Amino acid sequence: MKIDIDDSAPPYEQVRARISEQARSGELPVGYRLPTVRGLAESLGLAANTVAKAYRALEADGVIETRGRNGTFVAAAGAAAERELAAAAQAYVERARRLGQGEDAALAAVRDALRAAYGG
Protein backbone atom coordinates (compact mmCIF):
# COMPACT_ATOMS: atom_id res chain seq x y z
CA MET A 1 0.00 0.00 0.00
CA LYS A 2 1.26 3.46 -0.85
CA ILE A 3 0.06 6.91 0.09
CA ASP A 4 -0.01 9.52 -2.66
CA ILE A 5 0.92 12.90 -1.22
CA ASP A 6 -0.40 14.59 -4.38
CA ASP A 7 -3.84 13.00 -3.90
CA SER A 8 -6.53 15.43 -2.76
CA ALA A 9 -7.77 12.87 -0.20
CA PRO A 10 -6.13 13.09 3.22
CA PRO A 11 -3.73 10.23 4.11
CA TYR A 12 -6.08 8.65 6.66
CA GLU A 13 -8.83 8.54 4.01
CA GLN A 14 -6.45 6.93 1.52
CA VAL A 15 -5.58 4.22 4.08
CA ARG A 16 -9.26 3.71 4.92
CA ALA A 17 -10.29 3.49 1.28
CA ARG A 18 -7.51 1.09 0.28
CA ILE A 19 -8.10 -1.31 3.16
CA SER A 20 -11.85 -1.16 2.54
CA GLU A 21 -11.38 -1.90 -1.18
CA GLN A 22 -8.99 -4.77 -0.44
CA ALA A 23 -11.40 -6.27 2.10
CA ARG A 24 -14.38 -6.01 -0.26
CA SER A 25 -12.45 -7.51 -3.18
CA GLY A 26 -11.21 -10.42 -1.08
CA GLU A 27 -7.58 -9.39 -1.49
CA LEU A 28 -7.64 -9.16 2.30
CA PRO A 29 -9.71 -12.20 3.31
CA VAL A 30 -12.06 -12.34 6.27
CA GLY A 31 -10.03 -13.01 9.40
CA TYR A 32 -6.81 -11.55 7.97
CA ARG A 33 -4.79 -9.92 10.72
CA LEU A 34 -3.87 -6.35 9.87
CA PRO A 35 -0.59 -4.77 10.93
CA THR A 36 -0.54 -2.84 14.17
CA VAL A 37 -1.26 0.86 13.97
CA ARG A 38 2.40 1.63 14.63
CA GLY A 39 3.63 -1.00 12.22
CA LEU A 40 1.50 0.26 9.35
CA ALA A 41 2.30 3.88 10.19
CA GLU A 42 6.03 3.15 10.06
CA SER A 43 5.81 1.24 6.79
CA LEU A 44 3.79 4.06 5.17
CA GLY A 45 5.77 6.92 6.70
CA LEU A 46 2.70 8.28 8.48
CA ALA A 47 1.95 9.34 12.02
CA ALA A 48 0.42 6.61 14.19
CA ASN A 49 -2.60 8.88 14.83
CA THR A 50 -3.29 8.99 11.09
CA VAL A 51 -3.47 5.21 10.82
CA ALA A 52 -5.44 5.00 14.08
CA LYS A 53 -8.02 7.40 12.63
CA ALA A 54 -8.33 5.20 9.52
CA TYR A 55 -8.69 2.05 11.65
CA ARG A 56 -11.41 3.73 13.76
CA ALA A 57 -13.33 4.67 10.62
CA LEU A 58 -12.95 1.15 9.21
CA GLU A 59 -14.18 -0.33 12.47
CA ALA A 60 -17.18 2.02 12.51
CA ASP A 61 -17.92 0.88 8.93
CA GLY A 62 -17.78 -2.78 9.99
CA VAL A 63 -14.84 -3.54 7.69
CA ILE A 64 -12.45 -4.47 10.48
CA GLU A 65 -12.77 -5.53 14.08
CA THR A 66 -10.38 -5.08 16.96
CA ARG A 67 -9.99 -8.00 19.31
CA GLY A 68 -8.19 -6.26 22.15
CA ARG A 69 -4.60 -7.38 22.56
CA ASN A 70 -5.08 -10.07 19.90
CA GLY A 71 -5.00 -7.49 17.11
CA THR A 72 -7.14 -6.07 14.34
CA PHE A 73 -8.76 -8.30 11.74
CA VAL A 74 -10.79 -8.04 8.56
CA ALA A 75 -14.42 -8.58 9.57
CA ALA A 76 -17.08 -10.58 7.77
CA ALA A 77 -18.59 -7.32 6.58
CA GLY A 78 -20.52 -8.32 3.47
CA ALA A 79 -24.00 -8.65 4.94
CA ALA A 80 -23.32 -6.10 7.67
CA ALA A 81 -22.14 -3.53 5.14
CA GLU A 82 -25.22 -4.11 2.98
CA ARG A 83 -27.50 -3.68 6.01
CA GLU A 84 -25.71 -0.49 7.02
CA LEU A 85 -25.94 0.85 3.48
CA ALA A 86 -29.67 0.13 3.39
CA ALA A 87 -30.13 1.86 6.75
CA ALA A 88 -28.18 4.90 5.53
CA ALA A 89 -30.29 5.03 2.37
CA GLN A 90 -33.48 4.86 4.42
CA ALA A 91 -32.26 7.66 6.70
CA TYR A 92 -31.41 9.75 3.63
CA VAL A 93 -34.87 9.21 2.14
CA GLU A 94 -36.55 10.20 5.40
CA ARG A 95 -34.40 13.34 5.62
CA ALA A 96 -35.12 14.29 1.98
CA ARG A 97 -38.87 13.94 2.61
CA ARG A 98 -38.66 16.07 5.78
CA LEU A 99 -36.91 18.73 3.68
CA GLY A 100 -39.80 18.63 1.24
CA GLN A 101 -37.74 17.19 -1.62
CA GLY A 102 -39.24 14.89 -4.21
CA GLU A 103 -37.82 11.68 -5.58
CA ASP A 104 -36.20 13.38 -8.59
CA ALA A 105 -34.38 15.93 -6.43
CA ALA A 106 -33.27 13.26 -3.96
CA LEU A 107 -31.90 11.04 -6.75
CA ALA A 108 -30.14 13.99 -8.38
CA ALA A 109 -28.42 14.81 -5.09
CA VAL A 110 -27.28 11.20 -4.72
CA ARG A 111 -25.98 11.09 -8.30
CA ASP A 112 -24.03 14.31 -7.73
CA ALA A 113 -22.56 12.97 -4.50
CA LEU A 114 -21.60 9.67 -6.14
CA ARG A 115 -19.92 11.47 -9.04
CA ALA A 116 -17.98 13.63 -6.60
CA ALA A 117 -16.92 10.67 -4.47
CA TYR A 118 -16.12 8.19 -7.23
CA GLY A 119 -14.88 10.62 -9.85
CA GLY A 120 -17.48 9.69 -12.45
Side-chain angles (χ1 to χ4, degrees):
M1 178 183 323
K2 290 188 178 187
I3 300 303
D4 182 2
I5 58 170
D6 295 326
D7 193 318
S8 62
Y12 86 90
E13 177 59 26
Q14 291 181 50
V15 171
R16 187 211 57 76
R18 291 209 175 93
I19 291 174
S20 183
E21 289 166 13
Q22 291 174 340
R24 281 185 181 70
S25 73
E27 187 177 338
L28 292 177
V30 171
Y32 177 84
R33 185 176 182 177
L34 294 168
T36 64
V37 167
R38 276 184 202 211
L40 185 57
E42 286 176 13
S43 71
L44 295 176
L46 296 172
N49 286 341
T50 300
V51 174
K53 185 175 183 179
Y55 274 22
R56 283 191 303 272
L58 287 162
E59 191 161 22
D61 291 345
V63 176
I64 65 173
E65 59 187 6
T66 301
R67 300 178 190 162
R69 298 181 65 83
N70 292 323
T72 303
F73 299 84
V74 174
E82 289 173 14
R83 283 193 305 274
E84 189 167 334
L85 183 61
Q90 184 63 42
Y92 172 75
V93 168
E94 291 169 6
R95 176 84 173 146
R97 290 183 77 187
R98 280 195 309 274
L99 292 170
Q101 299 300 306
E103 184 177 339
D104 290 341
L107 281 172
V110 169
R111 282 190 200 98
D112 290 344
L114 288 170
R115 275 191 221 94
Y118 293 102

